[in-house]
């Protein structure tokens, strides 16, 4: 397949593209400020700037792009007011521009990366929307824009909602990076009471999920509007730390309860509809 | 009350502000390119530019704004790709910036203008989202953003979905303006088959609806997230033309069926939950 990927230089994107290019022709869609090294592409790269939707459409047509995996995202856990323009621009406008070009270039399918944080405290399995933060709200806003394109064109659109992810080369300051750091330095880490449950999925499993969904879309299988990639396990932060200590034979100096929970801390992650015929291997 | 209005120079906005200022202190929030004559304000005007959310917040605080009526909107029936930046900027980003400032300035309530076009072909009374066009999709996207603010602050937020509106000084080329024109000139107007139903509400009734909802929000009444302002009548375009001919004792030269229906023509408008304790007088 000829697949165009946005966000290819991110954590998920770089792992996904490295794997995708083994079997497919991978094209990149990047914004000029991301014109850093973009490894893993065996097709051309398009730089989106100046709202050049027309040029993007021609790029898709000329390269006969069949499908798009849209990972590009501006992630902000707790936003500041000056970050709002970038949140809307990156998470709502950019995707809309890609959909508009894709619809006109007869792209067959579009996979959008969402987050389980769109469903804060929703009863298990329900689809109730309730955003953890403004980031999650912009993700929902984009899904509702996407619904216009799925309703008015032949393009198939599906959102894959991601839980917490981890793996090699993760530059986001996530929990395992912190554990690694304090295990090495012996530093003390102040944390919340640690009773919040997390659904942690290895990036290799995330990558297989995207590839599996891309194949389902390519084969025109009957699909829902959205699926969740979940590890199937919800462990408390304390359990995750204890497992880490056991596995790596280290001691983590964690002061549990030294900090309050975050505002709108997710105590129990959303489950939703897990992607069918896929399961985590790690 | 001290009320801040966006879109005050539009059709609904100008009628609303003229009525509002009789009993309330009306402030305007405008964008610099709309720095035309803004009649009807008896409070100050704030010009929003350069993403100055901080300055807007101080303006709201200093003027002790209690409530906001958000009418500003970029309306495009069938968009062109070059209009997408303005659609997102006006209908998603601008409202988000206002909500952010309002939340920090302890504004008590926020009324958002939506459209029944967010619910294309939805079964009567259901809340199913299905946008007629990209404009309606951006309206839904903004409601998703608003849900973040209603869930994380004390501000009360309610959307009033509008049906078709008409009345004096309507510069939008809507149906009654067209009738007036061809009645005067004798010109022939080519139209679709005319069997689509419309829900036409006079602007005076729209204004009373907004004022009634503002009072309910001020009095902290228990409210849904959204209501519809409806005339309670759904007439076909042919019936509306016939009524116009009778009422004005004129003949309209209309060639019914000379044009196809629009893509996604709304044949039967959404009903939804009509605003309680309000009914049209015209």
């Amino acid at each position: 397949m000829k697949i165009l990927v946005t966000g290819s230089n991110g954590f998920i994107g770089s792992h996904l593209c490295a794997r995708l290019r083994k079997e497919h022709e991978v094209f990149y869609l990047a914004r000029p400020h991301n014109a850093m090294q973009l490894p893993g592409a065996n097709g051309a790269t398009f730089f989106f700037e100046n709202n050049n939707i027309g040029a993007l459409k021609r790029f898709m047509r000329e390269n006969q792009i069949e499908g798009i995996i849209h990972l590009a995202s501006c992630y902000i856990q707790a936003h500041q007011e000056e970050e709002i323009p970038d949140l809307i621009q990156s998470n709502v406008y950019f995707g809309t521009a890609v959909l508009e070009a894709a619809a006109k270039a007869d792209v067959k399918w579009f996979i959008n990366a969402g987050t389980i944080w769109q469903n804060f405290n929703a009863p298990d399995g329900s689809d109730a929307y309730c955003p953890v933060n403004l980031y999650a709200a912009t993700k929902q806003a984009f899904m509702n824009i996407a619904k216009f394109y799925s309703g008015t064109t032949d393009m198939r659109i599906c959102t894959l909602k991601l839980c917490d992810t981890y793996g090699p080369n993760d530059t986001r300051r996530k929990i395992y990076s912190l554990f690694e750091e304090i295990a090495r330095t012996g530093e003390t880490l102040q944390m919340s009471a640690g009773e919040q449950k997390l659904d942690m999925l290895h990036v290799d499993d995330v990558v297989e999920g995207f590839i599996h969904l891309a194949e389902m879309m390519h084969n025109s299988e009957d699909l829902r509007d959205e699926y969740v990639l979940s590890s199937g396990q919800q462990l408390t932060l304390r359990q995750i730390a204890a497992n880490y200590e056991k596995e790596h034979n280290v001691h983590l100096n964690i002061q549990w309860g030294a900090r309050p929970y975050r505002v709108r801390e997710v105590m129990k992650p959303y489950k939703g509809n897990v992607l069918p015929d896929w399961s985590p291997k790690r």
Side-chain angles (χ1 to χ4, degrees), chain A:
Chain A
M1 289 189 269
K2 289 161 181 284
I3 301 174
L4 180 67
V5 179
T6 77
S8 57
N9 55 346
F11 172 57
I12 309 281
S14 55
H15 283 270
L16 176 64
C17 289
R19 169 76 174 74
L20 265 184
R21 68 180 295 204
K22 292 181 186 167
E23 293 171 42
H24 305 287
E25 200 170 344
V26 182
F27 298 77
Y28 285 164
L29 173 51
R31 281 168 298 173
H33 66 266
N34 283 334
M36 46 173 66
Q37 209 186 348
L38 291 168
N42 44 9
T45 294
F46 182 89
F47 289 102
F48 186 76
E49 55 186 327
N50 302 323
N51 304 315
N52 53 353
I53 296 175
L56 176 55
K57 174 181 65 188
R58 287 187 294 278
F59 175 86
M60 291 178 185
R61 273 213 197 113
E62 280 159 19
N63 292 291
Q64 296 171 289
I65 300 298
E66 295 168 75
I68 295 173
I69 300 179
H70 178 47
L71 301 170
S73 182
C74 169
Y75 172 73
I76 295 169
Q77 200 276 323
H79 75 277
Q80 302 295 315
E81 62 192 33
E82 60 274 15
E83 294 168 321
I84 291 179
D86 198 31
L87 269 175
I88 303 287
Q89 190 72 10
S90 301
N91 299 349
V92 184
Y93 168 69
F94 179 57
T96 307
V98 177
L99 282 174
E100 176 79 14
K104 291 183 172 166
D106 295 321
V107 170
K108 286 182 198 68
W109 53 263
F110 183 100
I111 297 175
N112 171 48
T115 167
I116 58 170
W117 281 13
Q118 291 168 238
N119 303 77
F120 179 58
N121 268 353
D124 284 358
S126 99
D127 286 325
Y129 162 62
C130 181
V132 170
N133 50 16
L134 187 57
Y135 161 76
T138 60
K139 285 284 187 185
Q140 184 79 11
F142 177 64
M143 277 179 71
N144 278 323
I145 300 273
K147 203 161 167 62
F148 165 72
Y149 289 94
S150 61
T152 57
T153 71
D154 290 333
M155 186 164 43
R156 313 186 69 213
I157 303 178
C158 186
T159 293
L160 210 41
K161 290 184 175 173
L162 305 183
C163 59
D164 258 314
T165 55
Y166 70 95
N169 305 319
D170 192 350
T171 54
R172 309 166 304 169
R173 232 176 118 75
K174 289 270 195 163
I175 195 65
Y176 285 124
S177 325
L178 289 174
F179 287 172
E180 209 180 303
E181 200 177 306
I182 62 168
R184 200 181 60 242
T185 62
E187 243 178 288
T188 299
L189 185 63
Q190 296 196 325
M191 299 214 88
S192 66
E195 298 299 341
Q196 67 273 48
K197 287 187 173 162
L198 295 170
D199 182 349
M200 303 279 294
L201 188 62
H202 193 278
V203 67
D204 288 350
D205 289 319
V206 175
V207 163
E208 292 308 318
F210 274 99
I211 290 175
H212 178 56
L213 179 57
E215 284 163 358
M216 289 170 87
M217 296 192 83
H218 180 72
N219 297 331
S220 302
E221 289 179 40
D222 202 27
L223 295 170
R224 290 178 187 265
D225 286 346
E226 59 174 83
Y227 293 101
V228 172
L229 288 186
S230 163
S231 70
Q233 262 201 326
Q234 301 196 338
L235 300 177
T236 66
L237 189 50
R238 279 180 190 254
Q239 289 171 317
I240 291 169
N243 290 350
Y244 186 94
E245 288 179 315
K246 220 178 285 174
E247 202 178 317
H248 294 82
N249 195 26
V250 292
H251 174 71
L252 300 176
N253 283 322
I254 298 177
Q255 270 189 302
W256 295 108
R259 284 164 52 166
Y261 284 115
R262 288 199 288 219
V263 177
R264 280 166 101 75
E265 184 86 63
V266 176
M267 300 306 290
K268 192 163 168 37
Y270 173 66
K271 285 183 175 167
N273 293 297
V274 174
L275 184 67
D277 305 321
W278 162 93
S279 60
K281 299 281 176 294
R282 303 284 293 232

